[in-house]
Amino acid sequence: MVNSQQSMVNRRSSRIKVFVFCLLSFVFCHNITAQQKTDSLSRPTVGLVLSGGGAKGFAHIGALKVIEESGLPIDYIAGTSMGSIIGGLYAIGYSPEMMMELVCNQNWDAIMSDAIPQKYISIDDKMLDRHYLATFPFRGKKIQMKSSIYDGEMINLLLARLTSPVYKIRNYNELPVPFLCVATDIESAEAYEMTKGNLQRSIRASMSIPFYFAPVEVDGRLLVDGGLRNNFPVPNVREKGLDIIIGVDVQRNFHKKEELNSMAIILDQMIAMTDIDAYTRAKENVDIYIKPELVKYGMMDFNYYDTIIALGEQAAREKLPQLKRLADSIKNISDYKIERPDVKPLDTVYVVSLKIEGVSENNSSFVRKSFAKNYPATMTLKDIETSIMRIYATGYYNNIWYEFKPAAKGVNLVLHCKEKEVETVSIAAHYDTDYGIGILTNITLKNVLNFPKRSTLSADINIAEDPYFKLRFHSNVSQKFKYGMDFSVISLFMNQYDDKVINNSYSVQDNKMDLFMEFMPNLERQLRAGIVANYVHLRDNLIHIVDADNYDFISYAYLNYHIDNEDSPTFASRGWKLNLNGKYIMPVVEMEDGSRMRNSFVVRCDLDGAIAMGEKNSLKLGATLGTSIGENEPPLSYQFFLGGQSHMKYFDNIISFDGLKFTQLYGNHIAIGKISWQCNFYKNIYGIINFNGGYVANNYDIWFADDSFVLGCGLTLGMKTMAGPIEISLTGSNRCSGLVGFFNVGYWF
């Protein structure tokens, strides 16, 4: 009898569960068939699907906040592209509040453009960096096209850090919330579901925007953004046996033709156009559909994260009554408690061993020494990231990513490196008022001539109004020592002024051979010593005082000390640059009386700094001191020329100065001070007010005389772009009648 009653109770309980489940199905206007549950839960299971959409995917965070507020459990989560990032982090255990904080603390411009922080770039590379518009590898006689604009190194490091708490988990069903993400196999043109493996690589593959980020190899497949084939993976979750599916969709905002005016918007439209029928079916198979209104925002609007998150929350809050009814109904069936693990990125790891994959013999020693550890050793994730950034900043690698593999007493650190092609062709373009237009072509060969250490042979050809050719060979003895040779042929047109009026012009032909040694104690400092053989041909074009056929041979030894820790090569907001240079000049120049010019010693000191005054403003200070020591005057080409605003480095004795025309003043002695206020008043747009003043003279007697004093000021409007800085300036001085205008576009070279 007792058994019969118990059986009746069980049957009655089962009937109640069935009735409630059918009622839920009616509420959401869907016929949800009985499917095998993903686990042993006695209640209906809930799956969450997050679509791709680039920056619009930040709306998922706001939606998750409301879903959690409703008390609804999430039993499975799936995502594509940005949905895979947000979904993966939630599956690990990050709360919506934690994700909001993470998003707010990132420099999205730097992450999405693979901008290497200046502090990781060696001072030598800073001085040689050209910021080319495009770089192409070539093999044999054929130039190869790059597969993407950016390598995705910054996003690699970010994802590795955020997924570090679950490095031991290789099956995503074992995460606090089971998870899957979707990518596209570009070989088979099929969607590829990922439920196992390295979580960081799976997410990275899922959000690899075609042509923007480099494809990712996973499981022998070459993968790109899953949005191309399955941007709303609802069927994938249905197949896992989930009863109820909530979908957050941030895609499919089709743009009108007048709005299709950028690569990002066109790419967004193309992804939205792919497999529309599959998307429609997925949308119709969702039980609760959340669609934020994101018409005003595109997939690259990462700096609008706060507004996008708020719009996601707003859209989900409209569905909050439904979400709460569902949560309450499920609680009536089975009492449950939402538990979240205490999760945060790892701080330190005990590294048992270091394994390096994908590195040639020439570079393996450098990579290993960059970590500067004897293993086993305790390392912070910051140490690992810093070492990787230093390696990546050398320009020898397309991609570096790391993973931890469990060891008996710690982890095995594995570096996966993809070396760049050793042969590249690069192009750049530049225009400024002082030097005119220039188109630069660079050819670089790395690890040349079978040198046992990292070596580089490069050639620059600048087709311009002032053309030049430069050939460089640099070889690393170690991480701190380098030697090499620089050869250059430069042509430059210069005007000579007399009381603000042009009285002559010069054509300068400069041929130089520089043999040097460098010592770099750290990334910010460089000590360089060398000897130079210099053939200089100076021809005056108007009054012909200088013999047109006279080539002057000049040799000199030099010592140079350089410090650079500025935070940006253009519009720096903090940091300092110091350059100390001494030259012992030994000319072989015949004077008019038949005598020879005597040896001379020229020294120069340049100091420039930026002090941040809040987030948007900087106070910038600078000074230049230069003099010829002793009675002997250096040749004209080694005196100091003052004027213009260009930062092109044809010669190191040309000094910019507001309010003066290009090379307007010159002398053996110079003392200049500069002060300016820089304001980043809107995104990448800057306003700068400049003041500079000082003395320039030919001899000590008049160095600080009134006639030697020069004072100038200027106003500059500048902007950072992918093609380099754009600057417009108006300047004036006591040595030039009227205003002097200046315009620049493109990176300096």
Side-chain angles (χ1 to χ4, degrees), residues 326-511:
L326 177 58
D328 293 341
S329 300
I330 293 176
K331 283 184 177 181
N332 290 333
I333 298 173
S334 174
D335 191 23
Y336 62 88
K337 183 180 180 182
I338 300 176
E339 296 182 355
R340 182 182 310 283
D342 184 15
V343 63
K344 63 178 181 179
L346 296 179
D347 183 31
T348 62
V349 289
Y350 186 71
V351 180
V352 177
S353 68
L354 172 65
K355 184 180 180 181
I356 304 170
E357 297 183 350
V359 178
S360 64
E361 184 179 351
N362 279 339
N363 288 330
S364 60
S365 176
F366 171 77
V367 172
R368 190 169 294 277
K369 288 180 179 179
S370 296
F371 280 78
K373 290 284 186 179
N374 294 319
Y375 301 97
T378 298
M379 297 185 70
T380 67
L381 260 65
K382 186 172 180 60
D383 290 337
I384 296 171
E385 293 174 3
T386 297
S387 297
I388 289 175
M389 287 302 303
R390 288 175 177 175
I391 298 168
Y392 181 75
T394 64
Y396 280 76
Y397 302 91
N398 284 320
N399 201 262
I400 305 172
W401 66 278
Y402 72 92
E403 64 177 326
F404 300 132
K405 293 187 176 181
K409 296 182 179 180
V411 302
N412 295 314
L413 174 60
V414 182
L415 292 183
H416 301 269
C417 307
K418 183 180 180 181
E419 293 186 334
K420 281 186 177 180
E421 294 78 1
V422 297
E423 302 168 336
T424 59
V425 175
S426 305
I427 58 173
H430 178 89
Y431 172 82
D432 72 46
T433 307
D434 296 337
Y435 284 93
I437 192 168
I439 299 176
L440 178 69
T441 301
N442 171 270
I443 300 174
T444 296
L445 309 176
K446 294 186 177 182
N447 295 326
V448 295
L449 305 178
N450 294 320
F451 274 72
K453 303 294 184 180
R454 294 181 306 120
S455 59
T456 301
L457 179 65
S458 68
D460 288 341
I461 303 174
N462 184 26
I463 303 173
E465 297 178 38
D466 296 316
Y468 67 69
F469 169 78
K470 294 182 179 180
L471 181 68
R472 300 183 185 86
F473 173 76
H474 295 190
S475 183
N476 293 77
V477 179
S478 66
Q479 286 187 311
K480 296 184 177 183
F481 288 93
K482 174 187 289 188
Y483 67 91
M485 177 275 296
D486 290 346
F487 173 76
S488 62
V489 178
I490 298 173
S491 295
L492 182 64
F493 184 84
M494 302 169 61
N495 290 321
Q496 186 179 25
Y497 296 82
D498 183 13
D499 194 23
K500 309 174 186 179
V501 179
I502 297 175
N503 65 2
N504 203 2
S505 66
Y506 294 99
S507 296
V508 182
Q509 175 95 26
D510 186 275
N511 308 317

Side-chain angles (χ1 to χ4, degrees), residues 566 572 575-579 604-611 618-626 642 647 655-658 670-678 688-695 710-712:
E566 287 188 332
W576 295 87
K577 288 199 310 187
L578 172 68
N579 188 67
R604 176 177 167 180
C605 174
D606 296 275
L607 178 64
D608 294 282
I611 304 171
S618 297
L619 175 66
K620 310 187 80 169
L621 304 171
T624 297
L625 300 174
L642 192 67
H647 298 286
I655 303 161
S656 60
F657 194 95
D658 288 320
I670 190 169
I672 301 296
K674 301 178 181 180
I675 185 171
S676 61
W677 186 268
Q678 176 179 282
I688 306 171
I689 301 174
N690 304 301
F691 298 92
N692 41 208
Y695 295 85
V710 57
L711 179 66

